[in-house]
């Protein structure tokens, strides 16, 4: 295994880039937490709200994937 | 490191298809999958709509459900003018949906996992919505970048922010789809690679233990099925929202 400093720094940088995923974790948790409490208040509106939740989920998840793309770019270029 | 390693990114390598003719015109496996997707769409719709019964059969109700789903999405998000843009939104939705779903099959290539393809579609949507905005409102469309009810001294700060957020639309639109599909396929490949690594390093015990990554892979396929449909939906919904912005200005 190659242990030269630039390659190790590359690995560390890619690892650091994945910290951004934590924010998406908070966001998705927030989203579904708010959804559960909203359904608790008004169960009849569940289906209509769930569509917006899915949209929000996809948008939030994409932020995590930006971090992943940056990690991949660091690793493989 | 000896033995097999996980090579997660080689699955996205483009190869030329269709023999020597394809090599001359750079016809890639990505293009092949696009043609397959378009063929499936055409066959599905022409066969599904051949019998126009009042009580639809399985194929006809699939086609009608897709149609009504996207139609409702257009009307809900754009308003009555959405009817004009329905063909565009429907084409984008079903092309991305087919690309995402076909990519889930083994040995198939997901053309939406190429940034070139997604960026082309996102740039088209961006230029088209901008064109619609200027067509409907003329140069008053530039007022789109000036938020209402903001004190005048804030405008030098807010207008550049609005312009930057408008210009970043094609980037976020394309990278979202591309990153979702790429990340999903990399994840599947990594877990499949675990099975080979386990078997290679631990022998029979490893082969038995690799049932764990296999189970995870089955679960991941289900997740990817959800993501495939969801991302097509998100792309189409965002296209609708941008069209709404262009037609109604906020």
């Amino acid at each position: 295994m190659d242990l030269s400093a630039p390659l190790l720094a590359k690995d560390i940088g890619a690892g650091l880039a994945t910290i951004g995923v934590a924010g998406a974790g908070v966001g998705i948790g927030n989203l579904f937490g708010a959804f559960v409490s909203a359904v608790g208040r008004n169960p009849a509106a569940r289906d209509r709200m769930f569509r917006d939740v899915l949209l929000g989920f996809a948008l939030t998840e994409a932020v995590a994937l930006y971090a992943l793309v940056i990690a991949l770019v660091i690793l493989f270029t | 490191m000896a033995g097999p390693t996980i090579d997660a990114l080689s699955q996205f390598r483009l190869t030329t298809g269709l023999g020597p003719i394809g090599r001359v015109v750079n016809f890639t496996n990505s293009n092949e999958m696009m043609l397959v997707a378009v063929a499936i769409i055409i066959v599905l719709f022409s066969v599904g709509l051949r019998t126009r019964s009042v009580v639809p059969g399985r194929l006809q109700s699939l086609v009608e459900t897709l149609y009504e789903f996207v139609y409702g999405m257009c009307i809900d998000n754009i308003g009555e003018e959405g009817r004009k843009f329905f063909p565009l939104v429907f084409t984008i939705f079903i092309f991305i949906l087919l690309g995402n779903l076909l990519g889930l099959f083994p040995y198939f290539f997901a053309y939406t996992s190429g940034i070139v393809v997604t960026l082309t579609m996102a740039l088209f949507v961006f230029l088209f919505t901008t064109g619609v905005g200027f067509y409907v409102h003329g140069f008053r469309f530039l007022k789109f970048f000036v938020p209402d009810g903001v004190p005048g001294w804030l405008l030098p700060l807010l207008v550049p922010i609005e312009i930057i957020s408008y210009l970043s639309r094609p980037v976020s639109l394309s990278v979202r789809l591309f990153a979702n599909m790429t990340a999903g396929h990399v994840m599947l490949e990594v877990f499949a690679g675990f099975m080979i690594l386990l078997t290679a390093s631990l022998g029979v015990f490893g082969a038995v233990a690799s049932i764990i990554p296999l189970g995870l892979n089955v679960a991941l396929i289900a997740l990817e099925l959800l993501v495939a449909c969801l991302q097509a939906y998100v792309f189409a919904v965002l296209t609708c929202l941008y069209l709404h912005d262009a037609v109604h200005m906020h």
Side-chain angles (χ1 to χ4, degrees), chain B residues 166-227:
Chain B
Y166 189 78
L167 289 180
S168 69
R169 276 175 176 185
V171 179
S172 67
L173 198 59
S174 60
V175 172
R176 180 178 303 117
L177 179 58
F178 154 75
N180 265 294
M181 296 322 291
T182 307
H185 284 87
V186 165
M187 211 149 55
L188 289 175
E189 175 94 37
V190 165
F191 277 102
F194 280 165
M195 284 186 256
I196 297 169
L197 287 185
L198 271 175
T199 317
S201 56
L202 295 179
V204 179
F205 178 71
V208 176
S210 63
I211 197 160
I212 299 167
L214 179 67
L216 275 172
N217 236 351
V218 173
L220 278 177
I221 285 279
L223 177 73
E224 286 310 307
L225 207 60
L226 171 74
V227 167

Side-chain angles (χ1 to χ4, degrees), chain A residues 58-59 61-62 65-66 68 76, chain B residues 9 172 175-176 179-180 183 230 234:
Chain A
L59 295 179
E61 197 204 17
L65 294 171
Y66 297 154
L68 191 85
F76 294 108
Chain B
L9 291 181
S172 67
V175 172
R176 180 178 303 117
N180 265 294
L230 205 56
V234 166

Side-chain angles (χ1 to χ4, degrees), chain B residues 138-149:
Chain B
F139 279 99
R140 271 180 303 144
F141 183 62
L142 291 176
K143 258 203 86 200
F144 179 74
F145 300 112
V146 185
D148 296 330

Side-chain angles (χ1 to χ4, degrees), chain B residues 224-245:
Chain B
E224 286 310 307
L225 207 60
L226 171 74
V227 167
C229 300
L230 205 56
Q231 287 305 317
Y233 172 69
V234 166
F235 200 102
V237 160
L238 286 174
T239 306
C240 286
L241 290 179
Y242 296 163
L243 281 170
H244 172 89
D245 280 353

